[in-house]
Amino acid sequence: MTTASMPDFPTGFRWGVSTSAYQIEGAVDADGRGPSIWDTFAHSPGRIADGSTGDVACDHYHRYREDVALLAGLGVSAYRFSIAWPRVQPTGAGAADSAGLDFYERLVDELLGHGVDPVATLFHWDLPQALEDAGGWLNRDTAARFAEYADLVAARLGDRVKLWITLNEPFVHMSLGHGMGVHAPGRMLLFDAFPVAHHQLLGHGLAVSALRARSSSPVAIANNYSPVRLAGDTDADRAAGAAYDALHNRLFTDPLLGLGYPEEPGFDPGVVRDGDLDVIAAPIDVLGVNYYNPTGIRAAEEGSPLPFEIVPLDGYPRTAFDWPVVPDGLRDLLVGLRDTYGDRLPPIQVTESGCAYDDVPDADGRVDDPERIAYLDGHLRAVREAIDAGVDVTGYFVWSLLDNWEWAEGFTKRFGLVHVDYATQTRTPKSSYAWFRDAVVRP
Ligand code: FCB
């Protein structure tokens, strides 16, 4: 597939790809790793679409050198991976398991040896099961445990990780994991999941100080955003849109940027203690933005437990996840963040952007994925438009380097620039890999 040449991006713009620990590492019993909530959840019958688990996943724990070679071949300047908390602290407390940290040290050194900046996420949803047994993120103490863990990681890697990301998508962990029960730990608390938002944010703020005490590298958080597209134009529709925006887009960003919690959906402030909002608003250097699609919203039916109704967005191509492909949504989101937060907004890096398609090797073993090329092309142009509109965007990471274990969808959704045959662990770069290398990273 050919596309018109990519517009230029600013000098020093960071090109990268992202993964996360439980989705690729496997080796769940290696070197003293403790169980996480995702081990428990994946092994519970009926939770995962294809009945699979992350026990082996992409076996990255054993194949990280091959995977770093793929990164080097792609030419990217950064790799965003996550550190599995239960490898560092098998029970979520106490001294670090040095064999677990050794793995990340080997990975980081391998990256640096290939000229790739390590970008480490500390929490990509794999909470140590022992902490869940004590209440997980519903328990305020988990925030303090998280800061302790951040300290242990930074003590070992603080001189080599180039960008820290505290949490990945705390909104998704709250809503899918604790509100609706479709992700680990599988709680269905609906709006009573609010303490999970607050305690994650508190953990983030405490971790920012822990990281700064050990490392001079910049610190970020990766939030998931979904701009609202109204499916009606009544006042009730507009109020529903504002409520959804407050929940999905502002709940985690307003307090991070010093504005406190939005009032719209009536979150229970009962768990917020004096001083917490100051901890949460500790300055960050970069805002990580994960974007997949906008959300269609209209007013809820009378008697609905939610103040909005989510409706499908018609008229767009769709990925294999049935997510609409809306590149303009990314431009609108980036411009909207700038317009909403103004001077409070730090530089943005798009820490996840990508799509799932049913990629299959052809008779010659090649994997051609023109839809992914078109998807990335459109989204990169959207980023460029946002930069032209004056938004300070300094990086873009594709989700994902490899096809991997997609949470409740198991192995049924392929997001990689590199195809993985899970039976043999053979990695095959797709045509999007060559396109990203030649048209984007090294045009
Ligand atoms: C994001 C997650 C990431 C991956 C992509 C498809 O919400 O952060 O782990 O599952 O979606």
Side-chain angles (χ1 to χ4, degrees):
M1 156 135 202
T2 52
T3 50
S5 70
M6 252 306 125
D8 288 342
F9 279 79
T11 314
F13 193 84
R14 178 177 257 160
W15 294 113
V17 289
S18 292
T19 63
S20 89
Y22 190 69
Q23 295 181 273
I24 65 165
E25 286 179 357
V28 290
D29 296 321
D31 298 330
R33 177 188 180 277
S36 82
I37 56 173
W38 271 99
D39 297 289
T40 309
F41 191 76
H43 280 271
S44 308
R47 295 299 204 170
I48 309 302
D50 57 1
S52 63
T53 72
D55 285 3
V56 177
C58 304
D59 196 30
H60 169 79
Y61 194 79
H62 299 116
R63 295 168 196 264
Y64 70 94
R65 284 202 178 82
E66 181 182 354
D67 294 337
V68 173
L70 286 165
L71 288 163
L74 190 56
V76 288
S77 59
Y79 172 52
R80 174 178 174 236
F81 60 98
S82 82
I83 294 178
W85 187 346
R87 286 197 196 281
V88 177
Q89 289 179 301
T91 62
D97 177 287
S98 57
L101 274 175
D102 287 350
F103 168 69
Y104 295 107
E105 186 161 56
R106 289 195 296 276
L107 172 63
V108 161
D109 288 345
E110 188 76 8
L111 289 166
L112 292 170
H114 284 83
V116 179
D117 285 351
V119 174
T121 304
L122 291 173
F123 182 68
H124 202 123
W125 306 345
D126 45 358
L127 191 76
Q129 181 61 43
L131 291 183
E132 183 63 27
D133 296 342
W137 287 110
L138 289 165
N139 180 354
R140 186 179 170 94
D141 187 53
T142 298
R145 299 281 79 75
F146 181 64
E148 239 173 59
Y149 152 66
D151 173 70
L152 294 172
V153 175
R156 179 75 83 90
L157 302 175
D159 56 338
R160 282 161 286 172
V161 165
K162 301 295 182 204
L163 173 65
W164 296 103
I165 297 178
T166 54
L167 306 176
N168 177 70
E169 299 190 355
F171 169 75
V172 174
H173 192 53
M174 175 194 74
S175 57
L176 296 190
H178 298 78
M180 289 145 66
V182 299
H183 277 188
R187 297 187 195 256
M188 287 186 67
L189 302 170
L190 296 178
F191 275 85
D192 291 338
F194 173 69
V196 174
H198 184 63
H199 295 148
Q200 285 186 95
L201 282 171
L202 188 62
H204 155 85
L206 295 170
V208 170
S209 324
L211 293 167
R212 299 232 188 265
R214 298 268 191 193
S215 171
S216 55
S217 295
V219 180
I221 186 170
N223 277 332
N224 163 278
Y225 294 95
S226 185
V228 169
R229 297 276 164 114
L230 286 183
D233 63 358
T234 66
D235 285 350
D237 291 321
R238 276 185 285 279
Y244 187 81
D245 187 50
L247 175 66
H248 193 141
N249 299 315
R250 291 176 43 216
L251 175 60
F252 292 87
T253 310
D254 283 13
L256 280 166
L257 299 182
L259 297 171
Y261 285 108
E263 276 163 21
E264 282 82 345
F267 301 116
D268 169 19
V271 295
V272 183
R273 296 193 190 160
D274 280 354
D276 285 1
L277 290 173
D278 293 335
V279 173
I280 291 169
I284 49 175
D285 305 297
V286 170
L287 179 66
V289 166
N290 294 1
Y291 169 78
Y292 289 92
N293 52 261
T295 303
I297 294 290
R298 71 173 172 221
E301 302 283 324
E302 200 131 322
S304 156
L306 296 175
F308 48 76
E309 185 183 333
I310 297 178
V311 292
L313 284 174
D314 294 330
Y316 296 101
R318 305 188 90 80
T319 71
F321 221 137
D322 207 28
W323 293 350
V325 178
V326 190
D328 287 356
L330 179 53
R331 182 201 55 215
D332 297 349
L333 162 62
L334 296 169
V335 170
L337 284 167
R338 193 270 318 272
D339 291 349
T340 304
Y341 297 108
D343 290 345
R344 292 177 183 268
L345 187 70
I348 288 174
Q349 296 193 16
V350 177
T351 34
E352 284 183 28
S353 169
C355 50
Y357 287 106
D358 296 325
D359 305 314
V360 187
D362 66 16
D364 300 322
R366 278 196 295 266
V367 185
D368 199 20
D369 56 343
E371 303 94 337
R372 181 167 292 100
I373 294 174
Y375 184 101
L376 294 173
D377 182 88
H379 286 73
L380 287 170
R381 287 174 199 281
V383 173
R384 180 67 242 193
E385 285 171 24
I387 294 172
D388 289 341
V391 187
D392 190 6
V393 187
T394 59
Y396 179 97
F397 293 73
V398 177
W399 182 273
S400 177
L401 171 65
L402 303 170
D403 290 342
N404 60 50
W405 192 81
E406 176 51 33
W407 309 114
E409 304 296 320
F411 292 114
T412 66
K413 301 290 180 288
R414 295 180 174 275
F415 276 90
L417 296 176
V418 175
H419 179 274
V420 177
D421 177 333
Y422 297 111
T424 62
Q425 293 295 348
T426 304
R427 274 82 161 131
T428 306
K430 304 178 189 177
S431 50
S432 58
Y433 174 99
W435 174 84
F436 193 64
R437 177 192 62 209
D438 298 339
V440 180
V441 182
R442 298 172 176 158

